[in-house]
Amino acid sequence: MTTATEFGYAAGAVEELADLFHLLGDATRLRIVLACLAQPTAVGDIAASLELSSSLVSHHLRLLRAARIVKAERQGKQVFYSAADAHISSLLANMFEHIAEPATGMDA
């Protein structure tokens, strides 16, 4: 059996990546992350644009922040959220490009 370390990745890193994909696998959390990509966005603005409650958005943002998918920056009394770094933005852009590609059947 081939292990993750045989491909050059530590088993712990594989588990961490699986957890990241699990978090992004929830459509609501993914929509929240996408709402934060263009510019830092306040919880209330995210909630309004996605027609969700602020408390639900805050709950999801806590999980996303703990996984280092988004980062928070306080400005006065408001907290603004954005993608944690360029890796997150690139990952999502690449995945959208991937699903936009025409299906070619079974590639060899």
Side-chain angles (χ1 to χ4, degrees):
M1 180 175 172
T2 305
T3 64
T5 53
E6 291 178 49
F7 291 114
Y9 302 103
V14 171
E15 295 299 324
E16 189 174 343
L17 185 59
D19 289 342
L20 183 137
F21 279 120
H22 177 77
L23 283 170
L24 292 175
D26 179 274
T28 300
R29 280 192 288 266
L30 182 56
R31 290 171 54 216
I32 290 169
V33 173
L34 293 171
C36 298
L37 288 182
Q39 63 189 16
T41 309
V43 173
D45 294 335
I46 297 168
S49 70
L50 300 178
E51 298 181 351
L52 300 169
S53 71
S54 291
S55 62
L56 179 63
V57 170
S58 292
H59 169 74
H60 285 301
L61 284 167
R62 273 192 298 279
L63 297 172
L64 294 166
R65 191 172 171 199
R68 298 182 345 207
I69 296 170
V70 298
K71 64 181 178 181
E73 183 179 326
R74 181 171 295 281
Q75 293 179 11
K77 291 185 178 185
Q78 284 195 309
V79 178
F80 291 83
Y81 290 86
S82 58
D85 57 35
H87 297 115
I88 299 299
S89 302
S90 297
L91 171 74
L92 294 173
N94 286 334
M95 291 294 95
F96 276 112
E97 285 179 30
H98 176 71
I99 64 170
E101 292 174 352
T104 58
M106 299 295 289
D107 290 335

